[in-house]
Amino acid sequence: GQNIDQPTEMTATEGAIVQINCTYQTSGFNGLFWYQQHAGEAPTFLSYNVLDGLEEKGRFSSFLSRSKGYSYLLLKELQMKDSASYLCAVRDWSNDYKLSFGAGTTVTVRA
Amino acid sequence: SQTIHQWPATLVQPVGSPLSLECTVEGTSNPNLYWYRQAAGRGLQLLFYSVGIGQISSEVPQNLSASRPQDRQFILSSKKLLLSDSGFYLCAWSVGRSGANVLTFGAGSRLTVL
């Protein structure tokens, strides 16, 4: 597998910022994805990184460092609806381009 | 636009009974199709993927099988369910398999084996 690690749970206050870290090990890195999954629902795509640096999409940003095998998802101005599980996934060309997922980080936003 | 349909949404089956989950994609041709399983508190596990009609790659040896009888139809089956088969099953599709090709998931099928 791709040994994808991310924290199990995080809690933050509405309006605050939360950073979800993801580390991975892969032989043929071909991109990193972040997905959001609300309880009982399917994952939905949030962001994609393949080059080092920060990708910003509104309140959500994703960062990648390929040399460190590290990414983070930054959620700003947290809203109650952001309470969900956030999945880090890595594509590996040496593994037939399959997308492997971490176990997910459950973020709880409190009022 | 492309849409993915997956059914049934929920099912409860006894141990030893058969299973059939169906997934169809609309609005695209020759999609890559996937079946994932998500057990409670665990990551998504890739079960099968298909790059074309009749082409199935199996990731995990188990009592499940998959078939792709038509270009946009992907079926997950079992002849005899085990308790360990309980979980949330997700069908997904993508245009291609490399780089930025995003996996889009169906709504999922929650299976409980009793």
mmCIF file of all heavy atoms in Angstrom, chain A residues 66-99:
data_model
loop_
_atom_site.group_PDB
_atom_site.id
_atom_site.type_symbol
_atom_site.label_atom_id
_atom_site.label_comp_id
_atom_site.label_asym_id
_atom_site.label_seq_id
_atom_site.Cartn_x
_atom_site.Cartn_y
_atom_site.Cartn_z
ATOM 1 N N ARG A 66 6.393 17.164 -2.131
ATOM 2 C CA ARG A 66 6.687 15.817 -2.609
ATOM 3 C C ARG A 66 7.941 15.251 -1.944
ATOM 4 O O ARG A 66 8.003 14.059 -1.646
ATOM 5 C CB ARG A 66 6.857 15.834 -4.132
ATOM 6 C CG ARG A 66 5.548 16.042 -4.886
ATOM 7 C CD ARG A 66 5.803 16.261 -6.364
ATOM 8 N NE ARG A 66 6.546 17.487 -6.598
ATOM 9 C CZ ARG A 66 7.072 17.840 -7.759
ATOM 10 N NH1 ARG A 66 6.940 17.050 -8.810
ATOM 11 N NH2 ARG A 66 7.727 18.978 -7.879
ATOM 12 N N SER A 67 8.926 16.076 -1.704
ATOM 13 C CA SER A 67 10.166 15.581 -1.094
ATOM 14 C C SER A 67 9.931 15.072 0.326
ATOM 15 O O SER A 67 10.609 14.158 0.786
ATOM 16 C CB SER A 67 11.232 16.675 -1.090
ATOM 17 O OG SER A 67 10.801 17.783 -0.312
ATOM 18 N N LYS A 68 8.959 15.651 1.011
ATOM 19 C CA LYS A 68 8.662 15.240 2.384
ATOM 20 C C LYS A 68 7.515 14.227 2.452
ATOM 21 O O LYS A 68 7.208 13.724 3.530
ATOM 22 C CB LYS A 68 8.298 16.466 3.232
ATOM 23 C CG LYS A 68 9.445 17.445 3.418
ATOM 24 C CD LYS A 68 9.035 18.616 4.298
ATOM 25 C CE LYS A 68 10.200 19.584 4.478
ATOM 26 N NZ LYS A 68 9.829 20.759 5.302
ATOM 27 N N GLY A 69 6.871 13.945 1.327
ATOM 28 C CA GLY A 69 5.724 13.036 1.365
ATOM 29 C C GLY A 69 4.639 13.571 2.274
ATOM 30 O O GLY A 69 4.088 12.843 3.108
ATOM 31 N N TYR A 70 4.311 14.838 2.097
ATOM 32 C CA TYR A 70 3.458 15.537 3.062
ATOM 33 C C TYR A 70 2.488 16.456 2.350
ATOM 34 O O TYR A 70 2.836 17.140 1.387
ATOM 35 C CB TYR A 70 4.350 16.324 4.014
ATOM 36 C CG TYR A 70 3.639 17.330 4.890
ATOM 37 C CD1 TYR A 70 2.817 16.925 5.935
ATOM 38 C CD2 TYR A 70 3.811 18.704 4.679
ATOM 39 C CE1 TYR A 70 2.175 17.838 6.735
ATOM 40 C CE2 TYR A 70 3.175 19.638 5.471
ATOM 41 C CZ TYR A 70 2.368 19.203 6.508
ATOM 42 O OH TYR A 70 1.723 20.117 7.303
ATOM 43 N N SER A 71 1.281 16.468 2.860
ATOM 44 C CA SER A 71 0.259 17.387 2.372
ATOM 45 C C SER A 71 -0.575 17.856 3.559
ATOM 46 O O SER A 71 -0.625 17.197 4.605
ATOM 47 C CB SER A 71 -0.648 16.685 1.353
ATOM 48 O OG SER A 71 -1.753 17.494 1.001
ATOM 49 N N TYR A 72 -1.201 18.991 3.405
ATOM 50 C CA TYR A 72 -2.213 19.392 4.384
ATOM 51 C C TYR A 72 -3.386 20.042 3.677
ATOM 52 O O TYR A 72 -3.246 20.629 2.593
ATOM 53 C CB TYR A 72 -1.659 20.293 5.490
ATOM 54 C CG TYR A 72 -1.216 21.684 5.085
ATOM 55 C CD1 TYR A 72 -2.132 22.686 4.751
ATOM 56 C CD2 TYR A 72 0.136 22.018 5.063
ATOM 57 C CE1 TYR A 72 -1.709 23.964 4.398
ATOM 58 C CE2 TYR A 72 0.562 23.292 4.726
ATOM 59 C CZ TYR A 72 -0.365 24.255 4.381
ATOM 60 O OH TYR A 72 0.061 25.530 4.038
ATOM 61 N N LEU A 73 -4.535 19.919 4.305
ATOM 62 C CA LEU A 73 -5.760 20.586 3.867
ATOM 63 C C LEU A 73 -6.090 21.631 4.929
ATOM 64 O O LEU A 73 -6.154 21.317 6.114
ATOM 65 C CB LEU A 73 -6.906 19.586 3.748
ATOM 66 C CG LEU A 73 -8.259 20.155 3.290
ATOM 67 C CD1 LEU A 73 -8.184 20.608 1.838
ATOM 68 C CD2 LEU A 73 -9.367 19.115 3.464
ATOM 69 N N LEU A 74 -6.248 22.859 4.481
ATOM 70 C CA LEU A 74 -6.519 23.961 5.396
ATOM 71 C C LEU A 74 -7.957 24.426 5.188
ATOM 72 O O LEU A 74 -8.341 24.777 4.070
ATOM 73 C CB LEU A 74 -5.548 25.112 5.116
ATOM 74 C CG LEU A 74 -5.437 26.210 6.152
ATOM 75 C CD1 LEU A 74 -4.779 25.667 7.419
ATOM 76 C CD2 LEU A 74 -4.619 27.383 5.615
ATOM 77 N N LEU A 75 -8.716 24.402 6.255
ATOM 78 C CA LEU A 75 -10.104 24.855 6.195
ATOM 79 C C LEU A 75 -10.220 26.157 6.980
ATOM 80 O O LEU A 75 -9.971 26.187 8.183
ATOM 81 C CB LEU A 75 -11.044 23.812 6.807
ATOM 82 C CG LEU A 75 -10.840 22.344 6.401
ATOM 83 C CD1 LEU A 75 -11.859 21.464 7.086
ATOM 84 C CD2 LEU A 75 -10.919 22.186 4.905
ATOM 85 N N LYS A 76 -10.590 27.233 6.300
ATOM 86 C CA LYS A 76 -10.685 28.536 6.956
ATOM 87 C C LYS A 76 -12.143 28.894 7.218
ATOM 88 O O LYS A 76 -13.059 28.356 6.601
ATOM 89 C CB LYS A 76 -10.066 29.612 6.060
ATOM 90 C CG LYS A 76 -8.643 29.357 5.640
ATOM 91 C CD LYS A 76 -8.171 30.433 4.657
ATOM 92 C CE LYS A 76 -6.841 30.073 4.032
ATOM 93 N NZ LYS A 76 -6.452 31.029 2.977
ATOM 94 N N GLU A 77 -12.330 29.838 8.152
ATOM 95 C CA GLU A 77 -13.679 30.344 8.448
ATOM 96 C C GLU A 77 -14.674 29.189 8.571
ATOM 97 O O GLU A 77 -15.697 29.145 7.895
ATOM 98 C CB GLU A 77 -14.125 31.316 7.349
ATOM 99 C CG GLU A 77 -13.210 32.510 7.179
ATOM 100 C CD GLU A 77 -13.544 33.316 5.923
ATOM 101 O OE1 GLU A 77 -14.665 33.158 5.379
ATOM 102 O OE2 GLU A 77 -12.682 34.076 5.469
ATOM 103 N N LEU A 78 -14.336 28.279 9.468
ATOM 104 C CA LEU A 78 -15.112 27.052 9.602
ATOM 105 C C LEU A 78 -16.593 27.324 9.811
ATOM 106 O O LEU A 78 -16.991 28.218 10.558
ATOM 107 C CB LEU A 78 -14.584 26.220 10.765
ATOM 108 C CG LEU A 78 -13.348 25.375 10.482
ATOM 109 C CD1 LEU A 78 -12.833 24.769 11.767
ATOM 110 C CD2 LEU A 78 -13.637 24.301 9.456
ATOM 111 N N GLN A 79 -17.388 26.495 9.144
ATOM 112 C CA GLN A 79 -18.830 26.553 9.296
ATOM 113 C C GLN A 79 -19.312 25.196 9.807
ATOM 114 O O GLN A 79 -18.624 24.182 9.652
ATOM 115 C CB GLN A 79 -19.495 26.874 7.942
ATOM 116 C CG GLN A 79 -19.016 28.187 7.342
ATOM 117 C CD GLN A 79 -19.587 28.453 5.957
ATOM 118 O OE1 GLN A 79 -20.475 27.740 5.483
ATOM 119 N NE2 GLN A 79 -19.076 29.493 5.307
ATOM 120 N N MET A 80 -20.491 25.181 10.375
ATOM 121 C CA MET A 80 -21.022 23.937 10.944
ATOM 122 C C MET A 80 -21.100 22.847 9.864
ATOM 123 O O MET A 80 -20.851 21.668 10.145
ATOM 124 C CB MET A 80 -22.401 24.167 11.568
ATOM 125 C CG MET A 80 -22.414 25.174 12.703
ATOM 126 S SD MET A 80 -21.359 24.669 14.075
ATOM 127 C CE MET A 80 -22.327 23.352 14.771
ATOM 128 N N LYS A 81 -21.407 23.254 8.637
ATOM 129 C CA LYS A 81 -21.552 22.279 7.558
ATOM 130 C C LYS A 81 -20.230 21.632 7.156
ATOM 131 O O LYS A 81 -20.209 20.664 6.385
ATOM 132 C CB LYS A 81 -22.177 22.938 6.332
ATOM 133 C CG LYS A 81 -21.282 23.984 5.669
ATOM 134 C CD LYS A 81 -21.933 24.569 4.444
ATOM 135 C CE LYS A 81 -21.026 25.590 3.761
ATOM 136 N NZ LYS A 81 -21.643 26.175 2.541
ATOM 137 N N ASP A 82 -19.114 22.181 7.679
ATOM 138 C CA ASP A 82 -17.798 21.587 7.380
ATOM 139 C C ASP A 82 -17.522 20.356 8.249
ATOM 140 O O ASP A 82 -16.512 19.662 8.043
ATOM 141 C CB ASP A 82 -16.689 22.620 7.601
ATOM 142 C CG ASP A 82 -16.802 23.812 6.660
ATOM 143 O OD1 ASP A 82 -17.296 23.627 5.531
ATOM 144 O OD2 ASP A 82 -16.393 24.930 7.064
ATOM 145 N N SER A 83 -18.380 20.077 9.216
ATOM 146 C CA SER A 83 -18.237 18.863 10.022
ATOM 147 C C SER A 83 -18.405 17.662 9.105
ATOM 148 O O SER A 83 -19.475 17.444 8.519
ATOM 149 C CB SER A 83 -19.295 18.816 11.129
ATOM 150 O OG SER A 83 -19.072 19.826 12.085
ATOM 151 N N ALA A 84 -17.324 16.888 8.962
ATOM 152 C CA ALA A 84 -17.301 15.780 8.011
ATOM 153 C C ALA A 84 -15.995 15.027 8.184
ATOM 154 O O ALA A 84 -15.133 15.433 8.968
ATOM 155 C CB ALA A 84 -17.414 16.302 6.572
ATOM 156 N N SER A 85 -15.850 13.957 7.415
ATOM 157 C CA SER A 85 -14.574 13.256 7.359
ATOM 158 C C SER A 85 -13.829 13.734 6.120
ATOM 159 O O SER A 85 -14.434 13.924 5.059
ATOM 160 C CB SER A 85 -14.806 11.751 7.292
ATOM 161 O OG SER A 85 -13.579 11.054 7.249
ATOM 162 N N TYR A 86 -12.522 13.945 6.245
ATOM 163 C CA TYR A 86 -11.706 14.420 5.134
ATOM 164 C C TYR A 86 -10.688 13.337 4.797
ATOM 165 O O TYR A 86 -9.905 12.916 5.653
ATOM 166 C CB TYR A 86 -11.042 15.751 5.494
ATOM 167 C CG TYR A 86 -12.081 16.850 5.616
ATOM 168 C CD1 TYR A 86 -12.768 17.048 6.803
ATOM 169 C CD2 TYR A 86 -12.415 17.639 4.519
ATOM 170 C CE1 TYR A 86 -13.760 18.019 6.905
ATOM 171 C CE2 TYR A 86 -13.402 18.610 4.612
ATOM 172 C CZ TYR A 86 -14.070 18.784 5.810
ATOM 173 O OH TYR A 86 -15.057 19.734 5.893
ATOM 174 N N LEU A 87 -10.736 12.907 3.554
ATOM 175 C CA LEU A 87 -9.918 11.779 3.111
ATOM 176 C C LEU A 87 -8.768 12.255 2.238
ATOM 177 O O LEU A 87 -8.983 12.995 1.277
ATOM 178 C CB LEU A 87 -10.771 10.797 2.301
ATOM 179 C CG LEU A 87 -12.113 10.360 2.901
ATOM 180 C CD1 LEU A 87 -12.836 9.430 1.942
ATOM 181 C CD2 LEU A 87 -11.906 9.677 4.233
ATOM 182 N N CYS A 88 -7.580 11.807 2.575
ATOM 183 C CA CYS A 88 -6.392 12.047 1.762
ATOM 184 C C CYS A 88 -6.193 10.815 0.881
ATOM 185 O O CYS A 88 -6.312 9.681 1.357
ATOM 186 C CB CYS A 88 -5.200 12.258 2.698
ATOM 187 S SG CYS A 88 -3.605 12.452 1.885
ATOM 188 N N ALA A 89 -5.915 11.019 -0.397
ATOM 189 C CA ALA A 89 -5.746 9.893 -1.319
ATOM 190 C C ALA A 89 -4.564 10.156 -2.239
ATOM 191 O O ALA A 89 -4.368 11.287 -2.698
ATOM 192 C CB ALA A 89 -7.019 9.676 -2.135
ATOM 193 N N VAL A 90 -3.795 9.121 -2.524
ATOM 194 C CA VAL A 90 -2.586 9.254 -3.342
ATOM 195 C C VAL A 90 -2.659 8.318 -4.540
ATOM 196 O O VAL A 90 -3.031 7.150 -4.410
ATOM 197 C CB VAL A 90 -1.327 8.935 -2.504
ATOM 198 C CG1 VAL A 90 -0.079 8.953 -3.385
ATOM 199 C CG2 VAL A 90 -1.188 9.932 -1.366
ATOM 200 N N ARG A 91 -2.322 8.841 -5.699
ATOM 201 C CA ARG A 91 -2.256 8.024 -6.920
ATOM 202 C C ARG A 91 -0.797 7.642 -7.156
ATOM 203 O O ARG A 91 0.116 8.477 -7.043
ATOM 204 C CB ARG A 91 -2.826 8.802 -8.094
ATOM 205 C CG ARG A 91 -2.745 8.099 -9.430
ATOM 206 C CD ARG A 91 -3.677 8.762 -10.431
ATOM 207 N NE ARG A 91 -5.034 8.252 -10.332
ATOM 208 C CZ ARG A 91 -6.118 8.975 -10.610
ATOM 209 N NH1 ARG A 91 -6.008 10.233 -10.965
ATOM 210 N NH2 ARG A 91 -7.316 8.421 -10.526
ATOM 211 N N ASP A 92 -0.590 6.378 -7.515
ATOM 212 C CA ASP A 92 0.768 5.840 -7.653
ATOM 213 C C ASP A 92 0.912 5.177 -9.021
ATOM 214 O O ASP A 92 0.258 4.168 -9.302
ATOM 215 C CB ASP A 92 1.007 4.820 -6.524
ATOM 216 C CG ASP A 92 2.434 4.315 -6.481
ATOM 217 O OD1 ASP A 92 3.187 4.547 -7.436
ATOM 218 O OD2 ASP A 92 2.790 3.686 -5.473
ATOM 219 N N TRP A 93 1.795 5.715 -9.879
ATOM 220 C CA TRP A 93 1.924 5.123 -11.215
ATOM 221 C C TRP A 93 2.583 3.747 -11.144
ATOM 222 O O TRP A 93 2.379 2.909 -12.022
ATOM 223 C CB TRP A 93 2.677 6.049 -12.172
ATOM 224 C CG TRP A 93 4.081 6.438 -11.790
ATOM 225 C CD1 TRP A 93 4.488 7.625 -11.267
ATOM 226 C CD2 TRP A 93 5.272 5.644 -11.922
ATOM 227 N NE1 TRP A 93 5.835 7.611 -11.053
ATOM 228 C CE2 TRP A 93 6.358 6.421 -11.453
ATOM 229 C CE3 TRP A 93 5.535 4.350 -12.395
ATOM 230 C CZ2 TRP A 93 7.664 5.953 -11.435
ATOM 231 C CZ3 TRP A 93 6.839 3.880 -12.388
ATOM 232 C CH2 TRP A 93 7.877 4.690 -11.902
ATOM 233 N N SER A 94 3.358 3.491 -10.071
ATOM 234 C CA SER A 94 4.000 2.175 -9.949
ATOM 235 C C SER A 94 3.014 1.127 -9.438
ATOM 236 O O SER A 94 3.336 -0.062 -9.397
ATOM 237 C CB SER A 94 5.207 2.250 -9.004
ATOM 238 O OG SER A 94 4.787 2.409 -7.663
ATOM 239 N N ASN A 95 1.839 1.577 -9.056
ATOM 240 C CA ASN A 95 0.782 0.679 -8.597
ATOM 241 C C ASN A 95 -0.392 0.760 -9.566
ATOM 242 O O ASN A 95 -1.550 0.818 -9.151
ATOM 243 C CB ASN A 95 0.355 1.059 -7.177
ATOM 244 C CG ASN A 95 -0.555 0.019 -6.538
ATOM 245 O OD1 ASN A 95 -0.522 -1.159 -6.899
ATOM 246 N ND2 ASN A 95 -1.368 0.444 -5.594
ATOM 247 N N ASP A 96 -0.061 0.838 -10.845
ATOM 248 C CA ASP A 96 -1.078 0.855 -11.898
ATOM 249 C C ASP A 96 -2.020 2.051 -11.778
ATOM 250 O O ASP A 96 -3.191 1.948 -12.145
ATOM 251 C CB ASP A 96 -1.882 -0.460 -11.893
ATOM 252 C CG ASP A 96 -2.534 -0.754 -13.236
ATOM 253 O OD1 ASP A 96 -2.082 -0.187 -14.249
ATOM 254 O OD2 ASP A 96 -3.514 -1.525 -13.273
ATOM 255 N N TYR A 97 -1.497 3.155 -11.281
ATOM 256 C CA TYR A 97 -2.253 4.414 -11.174
ATOM 257 C C TYR A 97 -3.455 4.315 -10.246
ATOM 258 O O TYR A 97 -4.368 5.135 -10.324
ATOM 259 C CB TYR A 97 -2.717 4.901 -12.554
ATOM 260 C CG TYR A 97 -1.575 5.287 -13.460
ATOM 261 C CD1 TYR A 97 -1.101 4.406 -14.420
ATOM 262 C CD2 TYR A 97 -0.960 6.529 -13.336
ATOM 263 C CE1 TYR A 97 -0.036 4.761 -15.245
ATOM 264 C CE2 TYR A 97 0.093 6.893 -14.154
ATOM 265 C CZ TYR A 97 0.552 5.998 -15.106
ATOM 266 O OH TYR A 97 1.602 6.345 -15.918
ATOM 267 N N LYS A 98 -3.438 3.330 -9.357
ATOM 268 C CA LYS A 98 -4.569 3.196 -8.441
ATOM 269 C C LYS A 98 -4.542 4.298 -7.395
ATOM 270 O O LYS A 98 -3.482 4.766 -6.987
ATOM 271 C CB LYS A 98 -4.544 1.837 -7.761
ATOM 272 C CG LYS A 98 -4.882 0.695 -8.693
ATOM 273 C CD LYS A 98 -4.644 -0.626 -8.006
ATOM 274 C CE LYS A 98 -3.928 -1.565 -8.945
ATOM 275 N NZ LYS A 98 -3.429 -2.742 -8.264
ATOM 276 N N LEU A 99 -5.733 4.680 -6.964
ATOM 277 C CA LEU A 99 -5.889 5.711 -5.948
ATOM 278 C C LEU A 99 -6.094 5.026 -4.596
ATOM 279 O O LEU A 99 -7.049 4.272 -4.418
ATOM 280 C CB LEU A 99 -7.081 6.594 -6.293
ATOM 281 C CG LEU A 99 -7.205 7.945 -5.608
ATOM 282 C CD1 LEU A 99 -6.003 8.815 -5.905
ATOM 283 C CD2 LEU A 99 -8.472 8.644 -6.069
#
